[in-house]
Amino acid sequence: MRASQYYAPTLRQAPAEAEIPSHKLLVRGGFIRPLTSGVFTYLPLGLRVLRRVEQVVREEMNRAGAIEVFMAVLEPKELWERTGRWDSFQPQPLRTEDRTGRWFCLGPTHEEVITDLVARDVSSYKQLPLTLYQIQTKFRDEIRPRGGLIRVKEFTMKDAYSFDIDEAGLERSYQAMYAAYVRIFERLGLATLVVQAEAGSMGGSDTREFMCLNENGEDTVFMCDSCDYAANAECATSRVCEPDTLEDPGGAYEQIDTPGATTIQAISEMLGMPAQKMIKTLLYRVDDRFVAALVRGDRDLNEIKLQRATGAEELRMATAEEILGLTGAPVGFSGPVGLPDEVEIIADPEIEFLRNFVVGANEADAHLTGVNVGRDFEVSRYADLRQAAAGDPCPQCEAGKLQTRRGIEMGHIFKLGTKYSEALGALYTSEDGEQRPMVMGCYGIGVSRCVAAIVEEHHDEKGIAWPLTVAPFGVVILLLDPDNEELVAIADDLASQLEAAGYEVMIDDRDERPGVKFKDAELIGYPLSIVIGRKTAENGEVEVRRRRDTAEEVAPVAQAVARLQELAEDA
RNA sequence: CGGGGCGUGGCGCAGUUUGGUUAGCGCGUUUGACUGGGGGUCAAAAGGUCGCCGGUUCAAAUCCGGCCGCCCCGACCA
């Protein structure tokens, strides 16, 4: 390809709205252009990178035995109603209506479609196991797109779905995908950390996220500093340590005046007592009932965990009016003592080891001190409700402490079980003649997000440094003097040699000054380059460079391709 | 959805507080000349509904009201 004939507009300055490196560099380098919030156009260079990432994913999926299909973006409402997700999927899918008033959503995921497909065509255990996948555009009405390609409303995703006869089969399919993911991210040049995660709208039990640890990621990961425990903040937990000695419960609790102290911090300051000696009582509306969630004063409640613990479909904090109705007190003074019976009290396990603590009195401007579980109120059950915090003891090993890092979620694998196969009638006849639901798994990779992650991981102050596997062109030939026919001939000759050797080559033959070409090549991030200019050509030489470490050397024209290939080994 | 910021030629910005000729600057673009190994120099030129609608005023990029869009921080996801 000749740059003079190509469409790769670069910008000297990044648009003001871009903040993180991948966003700035992808726009500056002429890979993508914003269309509207969370929606981008791929320019030729960006499309090339996207296709290369897709190809790596495709090869590894095929190698793992998955079979490619291509499903429609439009998914009919009726199918989603059968799994109950038309109204419950979060975020709400983008929807559209045809001229007859029939509703569709722009597919945010394809469990319904694939399960329906397999339900129709597969009926025997002899046809299983089966793993199908596609690489396709997904739509999600993201509440807040951010970070260029990190989170967008329209993106390219690889989604795979496995169908097995039983849990043991699912385990094999799941492990095959796990292994494929490890290979994929390795080939993409992305160091990954596999973490425990929540299933969200997908449902299912065992789920793992493949994270690329990066400060511009949007997820928080907790990892142990001494063992391999790693979990997304949404489900990370910590070990509850029973203290060596427990305080003796004192006499009966006392009510004290705490005017205006509606926060733990305020009470803590007023009483000169640490927040660890207090209990936060959080009242939640859980479907059609109320629950009081108790966590230690210095802790935050994790709503996802509360939702899990209660099995709630919908969950929200009680309103001020509801709190007044339940406790007789305004917000800020709720406590577990004397709550109406219909309010279930669920407590975080840390509460069990607290003695003589402080709680709200269910009365305006008052708290209770010296309160004890069992004596003053009953906890209906204990469940992990607290948000883990950096420094907490590791739940998995004795010595470790948890630390937090930011991460980009590139892939997510789920064991779905029979949720979809039952809802959509994906049954098979077993060897003994019984009808059984297929046991499913699903496996996603954010392909376009991976492009952003690769840039986050592979760039410097000059621009991008693509790994050779995903580079839009593996080699750029900087033809510093495109009017010199001898040099043009050298460039053409080298280009055809390189192409014969399997490289894709961009010849920068634009009528630009050398500096412009050097800057653009570094911004765009070609892994390898050959510089052809008068200076070295006089000696029958060209310059050979590697972007990643700016290695550079001169080589005779005849040996340039061989030298480049040597550099490429490690590009 | 809550909080914050922004909207002025393709990109980056000044001007808005305190209304007042023809709306500036850098980069980019076009033409010409010189140049030619790290975003070069000189000269000339093109390119603007100052986000949109309405209001105040002799006069609005500037003041007021409404709306739209974009970005960032929080609660959700590949």
Side-chain angles (χ1 to χ4, degrees), chain A residues 53-74:
Chain A
V53 174
E54 287 177 15
Q55 193 52 32
V56 169
V57 172
R58 181 173 284 117
E59 285 169 13
E60 294 301 335
M61 293 308 289
N62 291 347
R63 184 206 300 267
I67 304 166
E68 187 167 11
V69 295
F70 190 68
M71 289 176 267
V73 165
L74 286 178

Side-chain angles (χ1 to χ4, degrees), chain A residues 26 323 501 530 545-546:
Chain A
L26 287 169
I323 290 172
I530 294 178
R545 298 184 174 194
R546 183 165 60 197

Side-chain angles (χ1 to χ4, degrees), chain A residues 76 140 171 273 327-328 391 396 420 440 444 523:
Chain A
R140 293 192 184 175
E171 180 63 27
M273 237 190 232
T327 69
Q396 188 173 283
Y420 297 94
M440 293 174 57
L523 173 62

Side-chain angles (χ1 to χ4, degrees), chain A residues 513-554:
Chain A
R513 295 174 64 85
V516 174
K517 297 186 184 183
F518 286 122
K519 293 287 186 195
D520 273 350
E522 283 158 349
L523 173 62
I524 289 169
Y526 305 99
L528 299 161
S529 57
I530 294 178
V531 184
I532 303 177
R534 276 199 205 107
K535 277 188 182 173
T536 50
E538 282 172 4
N539 306 323
E541 292 175 327
V542 295
E543 208 171 298
V544 180
R545 298 184 174 194
R546 183 165 60 197
R547 174 70 178 89
R548 186 175 55 90
D549 51 7
T550 63
E552 61 177 88
E553 61 188 55
V554 288

Side-chain angles (χ1 to χ4, degrees), chain A residues 347-365:
Chain A
D348 185 83
E350 285 182 342
I351 303 295
E352 202 173 348
F353 301 119
L354 285 186
R355 294 288 182 275
N356 306 319
F357 46 80
V358 178
V359 299
N362 294 326
E363 193 172 303
D365 299 325

Side-chain angles (χ1 to χ4, degrees), chain A residues 2-124:
Chain A
R2 299 184 106 80
S4 63
Q5 315 288 309
Y6 205 57
Y7 182 59
T10 55
L11 280 82
R12 195 175 281 215
Q13 284 167 299
E17 71 268 14
E19 294 219 337
I20 66 173
S22 62
H23 188 188
K24 287 183 183 174
L25 293 172
L26 287 169
V27 174
R28 279 192 60 207
F31 294 87
I32 56 171
R33 290 288 181 262
L35 178 61
T36 183
S37 180
V39 182
F40 288 89
T41 297
Y42 284 78
L43 275 47
L45 288 176
L47 182 62
R48 277 183 162 258
V49 174
L50 187 70
R51 292 286 182 251
R52 285 190 158 267
V53 174
E54 287 177 15
Q55 193 52 32
V56 169
V57 172
R58 181 173 284 117
E59 285 169 13
E60 294 301 335
M61 293 308 289
N62 291 347
R63 184 206 300 267
I67 304 166
E68 187 167 11
V69 295
F70 190 68
M71 289 176 267
V73 165
L74 286 178
E75 301 188 33
K77 178 185 180 185
E78 300 82 59
L79 208 43
W80 281 68
E81 284 180 326
R82 290 171 65 189
T83 56
R85 293 207 297 177
W86 181 256
D87 293 311
S88 71
F89 192 85
Q90 291 300 323
Q92 288 281 298
L94 287 162
R95 294 167 177 184
T96 187
E97 196 182 5
D98 74 8
R99 68 190 192 291
T100 67
R102 189 172 175 221
W103 281 93
F104 300 83
C105 65
L106 301 181
T109 181
H110 279 74
E111 282 78 15
E112 280 78 3
V113 176
I114 196 85
T115 308
D116 180 61
L117 178 80
V118 170
R120 291 169 193 280
D121 290 326
V122 175
S123 49
S124 163

